[in-house]
Amino acid sequence: MDKIAVLIPCYNEEKTVEKVVRDFRAVLPEAVIYVYDNNSSDRTVQLAEAAGAVVRHEYSQGKGNVLRRMFREIDAECYILVDGDDTYPAESAPEMCRLVLEHQADMVVGDRLSSTYFTENKRPFHNFGNSLVRLSINCLFGAKIQDIMTGYRAFSFAFVKTFPVLSRGFEIETEMSIHAVQRNMQVENVVIEYRDRPEGSVSKLNTYSDGAKVLGTILKLYKNYRPFGFFTVIAVVLALISLLFMMPVLTEYFVTGLVPRFPTLIVCGFVMIAALMLFVAGVILSSLLGKDKRDFEFRLQEAERWKQDAMQH
């Protein structure tokens, strides 16, 4: 088991990967630095090897797929995840590692938004999107994470070995943040100095399509982790619609004793039944979620025993 593993997912980062590897070797000389290449067509692999990194490959395209491979293959007491585009300062890594190794943090977030991100980043829709995602998750899940979409994080062994990677692309950061909050893991924020990509380095993030995937991921995870709230909101909306259209029919019945709009009454009745079924589904799924949380605590204990056994051998 490594003491510290620096994980760098890369796709066509020949402009910056060598500098990133050398910077992290300088501040974390005891760390093993892994570069996971994701089908690069430039000199990313050769430059990473020349800088002293251990290079491995993931052939399924997408950052989520790369992280799945990393988390599956590497055992370490502390993991540092950083992009290979040289936008994050290596100087913050020792403090992030300290919080994991000495302060028992499960995830440390490199917070760009509290420092230089909005001035350094030249893409206004990215600025808006990051603020929107942070507000959405902190409100929906009761979190206090300052930067949801950052690619600079530190993790404990327990987090990495119990985190189910479901996303394939850039929405993986959102998934990790929500998982940590929902599973009551210790999350710390470290303010970092963000810098924009150097000239000639191109972002792989598509503002609109990847932004839509991130929002879809938030909605999906809210349904999975907060089923009572999710289905209750839908049930209330359907019930209000049913009552809105049913009231004139009932009023006319009480006045005249007639029901001239019988189809409306039938449809409203079915809509109300659907609302009640959704509410019951939310109650049932919420109960199942409680069992899932208990099972997860046992998985955390198993991961800790696995870690102790690996360190002893």
Side-chain angles (χ1 to χ4, degrees), residues 14 17-18 40 42-52 55:
E14 68 175 4
V17 65
E18 187 173 12
S40 295
D42 59 8
R43 297 189 302 141
T44 295
V45 171
Q46 295 90 328
L47 293 174
E49 289 176 340
V55 176

Side-chain angles (χ1 to χ4, degrees), residues 84-290:
D85 55 10
D86 193 32
T87 57
Y88 300 107
E91 293 75 20
S92 300
E95 172 62 12
M96 297 170 74
C97 289
R98 186 191 70 79
L99 289 172
V100 172
L101 296 172
E102 300 178 15
H103 198 61
Q104 300 178 344
D106 290 298
M107 182 174 74
V108 181
V109 175
D111 175 16
R112 311 160 298 168
L113 305 188
S114 298
S115 61
T116 56
Y117 182 78
F118 293 109
T119 55
E120 284 288 323
N121 184 44
K122 305 302 188 295
R123 294 155 292 185
F125 283 106
H126 284 209
N127 296 341
F128 171 76
N130 273 280
S131 299
L132 176 63
V133 170
R134 177 175 63 176
L135 178 64
S136 300
I137 290 180
N138 286 340
C139 289
L140 290 174
F141 294 90
K144 295 181 180 179
I145 299 178
Q146 298 303 316
D147 191 349
I148 304 296
M149 300 294 295
T150 180
Y152 196 12
R153 299 170 190 252
F155 304 106
S156 67
F157 178 87
F159 182 97
V160 166
K161 296 306 180 182
T162 59
F163 172 58
V165 181
L166 303 177
S167 300
R168 298 179 181 179
F170 286 99
E171 61 270 29
I172 186 66
E173 281 95 356
T174 304
E175 188 178 324
M176 289 189 292
S177 300
I178 295 176
H179 173 80
V181 173
Q182 176 63 21
R183 297 308 186 184
N184 197 31
M185 291 186 158
Q186 182 178 334
V187 180
E188 303 287 348
N189 297 283
V190 171
V191 177
I192 63 170
E193 297 293 321
Y194 176 84
R195 50 183 179 255
D196 204 8
R197 281 175 171 268
E199 186 176 353
S201 178
V202 180
S203 174
K204 317 305 183 300
L205 181 65
N206 184 291
T207 302
Y208 302 103
S209 64
D210 287 315
K213 290 178 183 177
V214 167
L215 294 177
T217 298
I218 294 174
L219 186 62
K220 178 182 69 176
L221 293 176
Y222 183 72
K223 174 181 68 69
N224 293 341
Y225 288 142
R226 296 286 195 273
F228 182 76
F230 179 84
F231 287 104
T232 297
V233 169
I234 300 176
V236 168
V237 171
L238 290 179
L240 290 176
I241 293 173
S242 176
L243 290 174
L244 179 65
F245 285 94
M246 189 184 294
M247 286 305 296
V249 178
L250 294 178
T251 301
E252 190 167 358
Y253 170 75
F254 288 124
V255 172
T256 66
L258 301 174
V259 185
R261 290 180 286 178
F262 223 88
T264 301
L265 181 63
I266 294 173
V267 172
C268 289
F270 278 116
V271 172
M272 184 62 73
I273 291 172
L276 291 173
M277 291 178 65
L278 286 170
F279 177 76
V280 172
V283 173
I284 295 173
L285 290 172
S286 183
S287 299
L288 293 175
L289 184 64

Side-chain angles (χ1 to χ4, degrees), residues 60-75:
S60 297
Q61 199 67 38
K63 188 173 183 179
N65 291 323
V66 178
L67 260 65
R68 182 184 295 109
R69 178 72 59 185
M70 289 175 163
F71 288 178
R72 186 188 305 165
E73 292 183 349
I74 298 173
D75 295 336

